[in-house]
Amino acid sequence: MADSPTIDAVFHNAVIVTMDDAFRVLQDGAVAVAGDRIAAVGPSADVLAAFPCAVQTLDLGGRIVLPGLVNTHVHTSQQLARGIADDVDLMTWLHGRIWPYESHMTEEDSYASTLLCGIELIRSGVTCFAEAGGQFVSEMARAVELLGFRACLTKSTMDCGDGLPPNWSCCSTDDCIQSQKELYEKHHNTADGRIRIWFGLRQIMNATDRLLLETRDIAQKLNTGIHMHIAEIPYENQLILRTKGIDHGTVTYLDKIDFLRSNLLAAHSVWLNVPEIAKHSNFSKYNS
């Protein structure tokens, strides 16, 4: 291990969970840190010998050091809504509680909510998250940059369906697509590459086929991801079965229109039947 001009700290006498090719777990390991970068990881004796002039040397007393966790489904805008929608079914939760709340949020509300959510994530060991979809992506990005996270941010888009608040129901398919393209151009790979912009679809019950297909094609062209709630409740599958003329629900229909691609993060996906599970059990998730 080559020395560095300035090693700020060496953390030693720890159980180090690595992410190297062998996924080693070092029982008496150490980490050397220079600025905001890890300079070395290895057995305590080796790292201490390599960096004898570190500014700080900290004995962790056998504590566990592991890589930051990744939360793959976060609603940053809902941090301020805790307690307003407990113990109700999903459609009541959305139409009667959460969407009225979200539709009245201001940009500053979104910024504050993202900050609070981010602080909680950090305290839980999360260093990267995928946003499930909110209205003010620029304010999310401002908070993420300040907190030092990595994040895949999306705007929640809906162009049809029941339950939309008045100020959301006027959003056309063109508006949904154009607003996300603009956010991609403005924020993708900002914050030293820590922020990625994905495309967001709230759910199939509030998306036209045109929105689904154009989102699929543009995200593919831009080599970015799509975040969508899929097969979350039985009613969703029943509605799709009835309106789309297929033999099951959302996953079967999305497969039919060639929407299920490797850049899709399919949140929830709990109401699948056996053929759907069998067909898509090896479906690769998008690597952020």
Side-chain angles (χ1 to χ4, degrees):
M1 290 173 285
D3 207 341
S4 170
T6 302
I7 295 298
D8 296 294
V10 171
F11 303 92
H12 68 100
N13 187 22
V15 177
I16 309 292
V17 180
T18 77
M19 292 295 290
D20 63 15
D21 291 341
F23 293 102
R24 293 178 301 153
V25 176
L26 307 177
Q27 295 301 321
D28 181 7
V31 178
V33 177
D36 62 355
R37 293 289 186 270
I38 294 173
V41 176
S44 288
D46 294 348
V47 176
L48 288 168
F51 305 110
C53 298
V55 177
Q56 286 185 296
T57 301
L58 301 174
D59 187 334
L60 297 187
R63 292 181 174 86
I64 299 172
V65 177
L66 69 161
L69 303 176
V70 178
N71 189 323
T72 60
H73 189 72
V74 177
H75 286 273
T76 58
S77 63
Q78 292 174 13
Q79 186 76 13
L80 299 179
R82 289 185 173 177
I84 71 169
D86 294 343
D87 302 320
V88 295
D89 65 274
L90 179 66
M91 302 313 291
T92 302
W93 189 81
L94 289 173
H95 296 175
R97 310 287 179 85
I98 291 299
W99 287 353
Y101 151 78
E102 285 187 354
S103 67
H104 285 84
M105 291 185 77
T106 65
E107 293 183 17
E108 196 62 25
D109 291 336
S110 178
Y111 177 64
S113 193
T114 304
L115 283 176
L116 288 171
C117 183
I119 290 168
E120 183 172 85
L121 290 170
I122 290 170
R123 287 177 62 87
S124 301
V126 174
T127 60
C128 177
F129 71 90
E131 164 66 44
Q135 297 305 302
F136 300 109
V137 173
S138 291
E139 296 307 308
M140 296 178 204
R142 182 161 70 106
V144 166
E145 182 166 13
L146 176 64
L147 292 169
F149 271 114
R150 290 185 297 131
C152 302
L153 303 179
T154 66
K155 179 173 179 169
S156 178
T157 62
M158 296 178 279
D159 66 346
C160 69
D162 296 332
L164 297 179
N167 58 329
W168 285 2
S169 60
C170 60
C171 188
S172 69
T173 307
D174 287 335
D175 293 334
C176 291
I177 295 295
Q178 184 59 32
S179 63
Q180 295 194 90
K181 289 169 66 176
E182 291 171 359
L183 288 167
Y184 180 90
E185 292 168 1
K186 182 177 182 181
H187 295 295
H188 189 69
N189 274 333
T190 57
D192 298 320
R194 290 186 287 106
I195 293 175
R196 309 280 182 90
I197 299 299
W198 287 11
F199 280 58
L201 293 158
R202 192 69 176 235
Q203 58 187 12
I204 197 170
M205 294 180 286
N206 295 96
T208 61
D209 280 1
R210 182 186 161 209
L211 181 59
L212 291 169
L213 296 174
E214 291 194 16
T215 297
R216 176 200 68 186
D217 292 345
I218 294 171
Q220 194 84 30
K221 180 180 179 181
L222 295 174
N223 192 31
T224 194
I226 299 170
H227 199 151
M228 180 178 176
H229 300 75
I230 291 176
E232 189 171 0
I233 56 173
Y235 171 75
E236 176 185 330
N237 280 337
Q238 294 160 8
L239 178 67
I240 299 307
L241 190 152
R242 185 172 69 249
T243 58
K244 302 297 186 181
I246 55 175
D247 61 5
H248 196 241
T250 302
V251 171
T252 295
Y253 184 69
L254 293 178
D255 186 35
K256 179 181 178 181
I257 64 173
D258 192 25
F259 187 85
L260 301 178
R261 298 184 179 181
S262 61
N263 64 337
L264 174 65
L265 196 166
H268 306 303
S269 297
V270 291
W271 291 96
L272 280 67
N273 64 9
V274 172
E276 289 171 336
I277 294 171
K279 183 172 183 179
H280 300 290
S281 59
N282 294 319
F283 185 67
S284 60
K285 301 299 185 289
Y286 189 71
N287 182 356
S288 65

